[in-house]
Every structure is written in C-alpha cells, then in structure tokens.
Amino acid sequence: KYIDNMLSSTKRLRGLVTDILDLAKLESGTMDLKRQTASASEILEAMKAVFSVQASAESIELKLAL
C-alpha cells in the first residue's frame, strides 16, 4: 500500500512539474496548441483515480456518477 502511495505521489509530482514547464512554454509563446476531442467520462474517471487514494486515506468515500 505504501509503495502504491509513493508511486501515485511520484506520478502526481511529475505531472505538476510537467504542467509548470508547459505553462512556462505557453507564457513564452513557444508552445503550439491543438484542438482535439476528449472524453469527459475518461477525464473524470482519471481524476477520481488520483483523488481516491487520498480520500481513502482520510476515510472519505469518493463517488462519481456519470
């Protein structure tokens, strides 16, 4: 369980660093944006997966109804 928490925290930290670097690229004008379709349900499921670990640690039940 602790290894799973460490892995998910590492992924979140890597994502945060990537987001910060992307923001810097946007602000400097060196990043091109492209429109693409996205599945709202897939995005919400991914968010639930990220937050469910923390919610479980705090004894909070996280539900998602689509």
Side-chain angles (χ1 to χ4, degrees), residues 1-59:
K1 182 176 181 175
Y2 292 112
I3 300 238
D4 289 336
N5 286 341
M6 288 175 16
L7 288 173
S8 66
S9 294
T10 301
K11 288 178 184 177
R12 281 186 282 177
L13 181 58
R14 182 180 63 189
L16 181 60
V17 170
T18 300
D19 290 346
I20 291 170
L21 292 173
D22 287 345
L23 182 58
K25 287 180 184 179
L26 282 172
E27 289 177 345
S28 68
T30 58
M31 177 184 268
D32 294 326
L33 298 178
K34 297 178 185 175
R35 289 184 184 231
Q36 67 182 44
T37 59
S39 168
S41 62
E42 287 180 13
I43 293 170
L44 292 172
E45 287 290 346
M47 289 176 60
K48 180 184 176 197
V50 169
F51 290 110
S52 66
V53 174
Q54 186 176 3
S56 178
E58 299 290 330
S59 300

